[in-house]
Each structure stands twice: as structure tokens, then as C-alpha cells.
Amino acid sequence: MLLFILILLASLVCQLFLPWWIIAPIAFGLAFWKSASGRQAFLAGFAAIFALWFIAAYLPHYRNEGILTAKVAQLLGLPAQSRFRQINLPASFIVLIATALIGGLVGGLAAWSGFFWKQALSGSQGAKAA
């Protein structure tokens, strides 16, 4: 939980001033420093950046009543309503989820890499990887 909070807060602050890809070095470095397992590192990195990017995408969506995300969905060729396993999802919500998934994967894979670098540099061959 501490790793999740550290990645979330550090990424939030740094993304105010630096480019979007700063999330990768932050997740990598904090997982290198604090992670106990590969699973914990990936989940903390993924969840922290997923939540951060979803909220960062949702706030403008909410403020302009979904006009921008609807236009982006239209540009991507998404239908106005999508049916996924009998659940009707607006196309703008799919854009928000896709945005958060991309960020979450970057954060999770960077944190996972940080754990494995720590493991490789410490020389612990028998350490638990996942």
C-alpha cells in the first residue's frame, strides 16, 4: 500500500511540471527502492497510474459534460453505445478506460522492471519473483 501511495503522489506532482513519461522512471525507482515482490511492484505501479490517469481524464470529461471525449471516441470510430457482455457503455467511457489502461500498463511494467533490477543487482537468485 505504501508503494501505491508513493507512486501515486510522486507521479501526480511530477506530471504537473514534466512530460507524461515521467511516470515510468518514478515507478521504476520507487519499486526498486520499496518493492518486496514482482507481483506487488506491478500491481502497485499499475493501480497507482491507472487511478491517477483515470481521474486526470475524468475531470475534464466531467467539466465539459463529455463533449471532448465524445469527439475523441468519434475520431477513433467507436459507436455511440458499445455492447460488451450485455453492458451498455458510452463510447466516451471506453476512451477514459483506454487512457487509464495505457498509463497503468506503463506504470506497472516500469515498476515490475524496477523490482527485477533490484533483484538482479542484489544477486539474490532464490528471491521470489512474483
Side-chain angles (χ1 to χ4, degrees), residues 50-102:
F50 182 93
L52 178 66
W53 278 29
F54 184 82
I55 292 168
Y58 182 75
L59 289 177
H61 168 81
Y62 179 74
R63 279 190 226 124
N64 67 23
E65 298 175 358
I67 294 170
L68 181 61
T69 50
K71 296 281 186 190
V72 171
Q74 188 178 23
L75 284 172
L76 293 174
L78 296 173
Q81 287 289 109
S82 297
R83 295 204 66 172
F84 179 71
R85 293 189 184 205
Q86 307 302 325
I87 299 171
N88 288 330
L89 293 174
S92 57
F93 187 72
I94 293 172
V95 171
L96 294 175
I97 292 294
T99 301
L101 275 174
I102 290 168

